[in-house]
Amino acid sequence: MVKKVVEEVIDHSLNDLLLRGRVSAEATTKELPSGDKVVEFRLIVTRTEREGVDTLDIAAWSAKSRKTALTLKADQWVEISGSIHRRFWQSPGGLASRWQVEATEISRL
């Protein structure tokens, strides 16, 4: 009798982030072809290692985060908890994609 040893693969992945920055402009609502609604805005985050800023696309999908995002004003400081995802869609030039932060919590500072 031969015993077969099966190795268990452990996934140590983590997609959890915390950002603090300034809102660049008021958020906008977008309705997707599926009927889903998303509220999008950009967050300006100052770089710590070198001069400059990064402008990050933020998406609010849940009813609570959409409602909060729509009340944000330009230059307002906020803290975002969430994860990063790559979104794909069909554009006139073919398949397109971008990275986007999906906000699960949005808090004013």
Side-chain angles (χ1 to χ4, degrees), residues 78-92:
V78 294
E79 181 174 276
I80 307 289
S81 297
S83 54
I84 190 162
H85 299 277
R86 191 167 182 189
R87 303 285 180 216
F88 294 89
W89 69 95
Q90 193 65 40
S91 73

Side-chain angles (χ1 to χ4, degrees), residues 7-58:
E7 282 189 45
E8 183 178 335
V9 177
I10 299 172
D11 186 346
H12 295 283
S13 299
L14 177 64
N15 188 353
D16 187 24
L17 59 83
L18 176 66
L19 297 168
R20 289 189 192 114
R22 291 180 296 114
V23 175
S24 69
E26 290 186 14
T28 58
T29 301
K30 183 190 290 185
E31 187 166 344
L32 304 177
S34 64
D36 291 337
K37 290 183 181 177
V38 62
V39 174
E40 297 178 326
F41 64 97
R42 288 199 167 128
L43 189 69
I44 302 166
V45 178
T46 304
R47 294 178 181 164
T48 55
E49 298 299 318
R50 59 178 193 240
E51 221 174 292
V53 298
D54 289 306
T55 304
L56 306 169
D57 293 324
I58 310 295

Side-chain angles (χ1 to χ4, degrees), residues 69-80:
L70 287 170
T71 66
L72 300 176
K73 304 294 182 208
D75 289 325
Q76 189 169 31
W77 285 91
V78 294
E79 181 174 276
I80 307 289

